[in-house]
């Protein structure tokens, strides 16, 4: 009888252990590079990768070809939220000096669910749009500061560490950006202890990752994250 009870206890412990090993959940805060039609939250976010694809601009046809879907599959993770928005900047200044507060990273960063891991992939449009770079600022950041890249980036990382204290946060930086953006990302990530994944040699079509480029991104992200 005692042996039978012991076996039941061991079985129950195994079940608890199995549940305790649930797949880590991942949220993505990104721009066009991380979009795919039908896979965004909210679904009103602007999309670059559509179904069917615009073959003039991309050869990416399925969600399984996106960098993040490949990372999730290889790592055995599950998607929590993909809050990516095509054309979005980290700061509140977008193309043509327009106010991008509605879609900026600093606005959307509060809507990522309850993830175990957060992958931030941004800065590309800040570079392309010529958003103001601003000064390095880590304290006393005001709303007006959020219209420049450096203080907006700093505010975003600081706030996200407060919003998601148990999540592992990584920042992915595109290759081929303005040196001022690339260097600023490195400096600010270092200040907040956020691991930086600096991409290199990504294949692109119309400025966006091709099928080959998506795999290259996935390879580099998987290599950087234990």
């Amino acid at each position: 009888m005692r042996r039978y009870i012991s076996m039941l206890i061991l079985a129950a412990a195994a079940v608890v252990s199995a549940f305790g090993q649930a797949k880590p959940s991942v949220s993505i805060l990104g721009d066009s590079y991380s979009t795919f039609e039908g896979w965004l939250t909210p679904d009103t976010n602007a999309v670059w990768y559509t179904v069917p694809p615009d073959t003039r601009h991309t050869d990416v046809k399925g969600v399984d070809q996106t960098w993040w879907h490949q990372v999730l599959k290889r790592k055995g993770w599950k998607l929590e939220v993909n809050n990516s928005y095509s054309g979005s900047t980290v700061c509140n200044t977008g193309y043509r000096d327009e106010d991008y507060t509605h879609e900026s990273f600093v606005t959307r960063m509060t809507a990522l669910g309850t993830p175990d891991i957060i992958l931030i992939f941004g800065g590309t449009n800040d570079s392309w749009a010529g958003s103001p770079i601003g000064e390095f600022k880590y304290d006393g950041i005001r709303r007006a500061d959020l219209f420049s890249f450096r203080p907006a980036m700093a505010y975003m990382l600081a706030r996200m560490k407060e919003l998601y204290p148990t999540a592992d946060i990584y920042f992915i930086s595109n290759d081929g950006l303005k040196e001022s953006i690339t260097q600023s990302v490195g400096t600010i990530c270092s200040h907040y202890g956020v691991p930086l994944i600096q991409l290199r040699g990504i294949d692109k079509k119309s400025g966006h990752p091709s099928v080959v480029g998506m795999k290259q991104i996935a390879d580099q992200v998987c290599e950087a994250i234990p």
Side-chain angles (χ1 to χ4, degrees), residues 1-224:
M1 183 66 176
R2 288 181 178 176
R3 183 178 180 185
Y4 176 71
I5 293 173
S6 296
M7 290 176 66
L8 287 177
I9 292 173
L10 289 172
V15 171
V16 171
S17 176
F19 277 108
Q21 296 176 359
K23 291 182 177 181
S25 61
V26 179
S27 287
I28 301 161
L29 180 62
D31 51 32
S32 58
Y33 279 39
S34 306
T35 62
F36 197 86
E37 187 175 2
W39 288 79
L40 303 181
T41 303
D43 61 7
T44 51
N45 285 3
V47 178
W48 176 267
Y49 296 99
T50 58
V51 181
D54 183 345
T55 54
R56 296 171 301 171
H57 301 300
T58 185
D59 59 351
V60 176
K61 299 178 180 178
V63 68
D64 59 321
Q65 295 174 313
T66 62
W67 71 267
W68 54 267
H69 197 280
Q70 293 181 61
V71 169
L72 295 180
K73 183 176 181 180
R74 292 192 212 176
K75 291 288 189 179
W77 296 339
K78 65 179 180 179
L79 182 65
E80 174 82 5
V81 169
N82 183 355
N83 193 335
S84 297
Y85 198 116
S86 183
S88 62
T89 44
V90 170
C91 73
N92 288 338
T93 303
Y95 291 90
R96 301 167 296 279
D97 201 35
E98 294 177 4
D99 186 339
Y100 270 32
T101 301
H102 173 264
E103 62 260 42
S104 71
F105 280 55
V106 294
T107 295
R108 292 181 292 114
M109 68 179 175
T110 60
L112 297 177
T114 55
D116 299 305
I117 300 165
I118 299 175
L119 303 177
I120 309 169
F121 193 169
T124 297
N125 288 300
D126 299 80
S127 180
W128 291 354
S131 302
I133 193 70
E135 301 297 326
F136 290 110
K137 189 173 184 180
Y138 302 108
D139 299 300
I141 297 175
R142 303 169 64 87
R143 184 177 182 278
D145 295 318
L146 300 181
F147 286 83
S148 297
F149 180 75
R150 284 172 176 163
M153 171 89 176
Y155 175 80
M156 175 181 69
L157 294 187
R159 184 72 178 121
M160 288 182 69
K161 295 191 80 170
E162 294 175 353
L163 290 169
Y164 312 100
T166 63
D168 294 325
I169 301 174
Y170 297 86
F171 193 96
I172 304 169
S173 183
N174 195 10
D175 63 346
L177 302 184
K178 291 180 179 178
E179 192 63 24
S180 58
I181 294 288
T182 298
Q183 290 184 348
S184 296
V185 166
T187 299
I188 298 167
C189 282
S190 178
H191 179 87
Y192 289 106
V194 172
L196 170 62
I197 303 172
Q198 178 59 61
L199 301 178
R200 304 189 187 284
I202 304 303
D203 185 71
K204 299 168 185 174
K205 183 175 182 179
S206 296
H208 291 70
S210 62
V211 170
V212 170
M214 288 292 190
K215 183 179 182 302
Q216 291 171 326
I217 294 172
D219 289 344
Q220 292 179 37
V221 171
C222 287
E223 181 179 355

